[in-house]
Amino acid sequence: MNNNSAFEVIKIVTASDDMPPEKVALIARRFAEHLHIQGYTIEQETDPSLINGYVIYSQGTKYDYSVAGQLSRIGRHLKTDRGDEKSGSAAKDDFSEIHRSLTESLADFKESPAMLFEDDELWEGESPEQEEKREKILSDFAKTSEVEQIGKVISVSDGVAKVSGLENCVASELIMFSETSYGIAMNLERDSVGVVLLNECRDVVEGVMCHRTGLTVSVPVGRGMLGRVVDPLGNPIDGKGIIRSTSKRPIETPAPSIVERSPICEPLQTGITAIDAMTPIGRGQRELIIGDRQTGKTAIALDTIINQRGKDVLCVYVAIGQKMSNIVQVAKTLEQYNAMEYTVIVAASASQPASLQYIAPYAGCAIAEEFMYSDHSDVLIVYDDLSKHAQAYRAISLLLRRPPGREAYPGDVFYLHSRLLERSAKLSDEKGGGSITALPIIETLSGDISAYIPTNVISITDGQIYLESELFFAGQRPAINVGLSVSRVGGAAQTKAMKKVAGPLRISLAQAREMAAFAQFGSDLDPNTQKQLKRGVILNEILKQEQFAPMQMDEQVVMLYLATNEKLTFLDKEDAKEYVTGFLQRMRVLHPEIMKRIRDTRVLDDDTKKEIDEFEAEYHSMFVTEHKEYQHREA
């Protein structure tokens, strides 16, 4: 901290104005000697909130020798020391336990209660013993007291503050302006630091002092978060009181290495037959949901969350840039289907600053990582949606005057999402075997999947589910385009039973789509073409599914077995869904052992097929008897 400047300013703020000028000069001289400052000038101010003592500002650093500062440090020490289960329900009514805990914590506090300013003789005398004692106190206090690097706000505009003086600031460090106002250091320039404010900081104006915290943004984590709606900083916004959380986790952490991962081999059932059969999702996979607005992207994510009830999968839903009314509706829907008990909602609405929308997915991922690493749980996280996340980051980058690239996005927008999605993984058994499955959502404009952000995220993820507006408005719900949707994990994320019946499904749909394209040019079709077209129509009908009505794996297997083995081609398009629904209901009642066998073994063997065929023959006869229009065809 050597400084050869001719006039270094040493600013001393005292608790009252009755400190003699001689003592102020003596404090400044001793302080300059201790820090080897050659030349200096003294500025003095008064701040009664310090209670007693003084604060010294020099060389862009704050040295807090006040009673208020020490009380603040004691408070923080007690919070960090007692942030465990002892402060929970077991001890909250036991006064003796609280007193003992406080006594132990204060005993561990390294700082001496005797402050420098109380021992006047140290500043008056010149004997060797006093000199040695003074140097020891200065040395000990420098190690334990609050020494902060101070900056000054040069300008503020649109949620971005330009700060000078934070010479040793590091990227993504949390900068404190007041007890309620914080920002993230994002631009480290030669003479200033660009700080993005994290909330509506009305007290951050030009000339305000700020200081480094040495920390990055962290969020509370743990089981106490389940069932709650929080903002990106982990503060509850659902009106259900404070969150009992004893640990925090930085929102930015490195992704698991290749050695720490294991292959994806276990399915994560969405309950949506079209997805589980043709674009299966495995635990630890990253499957993109992409499509225009109002095509059912969020509906697929919510159905998947609802379907995890009873499957030992915890869920995190991150809402980015949505209307708060939509977020409230999502929370109500999940509560209605008893899904909130294993779900955390991280909400950064459109009305919140771009900085909170920027950190929201990282905060949600940190919450999910705690479940994966500490609880060894399987976690599903939904990012709804990353298009608005990229737009928020673009706004921040332009305000920080970073050079724009394609579509005005900054050059590191790919890294923005890759470092987020790479944190999703299935861990090896040595690491506990937990997993994070990510369902990022991207909104396209007029079906343009070749735009900048869609192509970026497609290249990062392990497949995509493409929803098409034309299919949606034609009544195909979910409106999945089978040709453009793909899962790069494939059959590894399916049970043997599902793999067996889903194999012919995609081929049959592709053949029907190809035949339909040729059929529109001519009216005379041979019987084989008509059969293929009819098969495609029936398959599309049974793949239609109501929202919030996920199907179990055994039901999906039986339904697809009927569809791919020509059991439904005698039906009219309008009756296919009714036939399958009635068949499954009757089978659950009369032959629950068949469904249980498929569910437990996850295999569709020949004996099970034979039993399904026999029962289908009975149901077929009964259905034809009840529907007279089919009796004529059967005859």
Side-chain angles (χ1 to χ4, degrees), residues 74-145:
I74 291 173
R76 285 202 297 272
H77 173 76
L78 291 176
K79 284 181 184 177
T80 54
D81 190 70
R82 299 179 67 240
D84 54 18
E85 281 70 16
K86 289 191 298 184
S87 61
S89 58
K92 65 181 180 182
D93 297 324
D94 190 343
F95 180 78
S96 61
E97 178 67 22
I98 294 174
H99 182 268
R100 184 187 65 78
S101 178
L102 281 171
T103 305
E104 291 177 356
S105 298
L106 285 172
D108 293 338
F109 188 58
K110 299 288 191 290
E111 217 170 295
S112 169
M115 302 296 288
L116 292 176
F117 53 83
E118 293 177 341
D119 203 344
D120 289 346
E121 63 182 65
L122 293 178
W123 301 105
E124 304 296 340
E126 293 292 339
S127 67
E129 294 81 6
Q130 290 171 332
E131 183 84 15
E132 184 179 350
K133 186 178 179 183
R134 175 174 60 78
E135 285 299 327
K136 185 177 185 307
I137 290 178
L138 275 169
S139 177
D140 291 345
F141 192 75
K143 295 176 184 175
T144 59
S145 68

Side-chain angles (χ1 to χ4, degrees), residues 54 136 314 494 634:
Y54 49 84
K136 185 177 185 307
L314 303 177
Q494 285 180 313
E634 293 288 318

Side-chain angles (χ1 to χ4, degrees), residues 203-218:
D203 53 346
V204 179
V205 294
E206 186 177 339
V208 165
M209 307 297 284
C210 61
H211 64 83
R212 295 176 56 198
T213 62
L215 306 170
T216 56
V217 182
S218 300

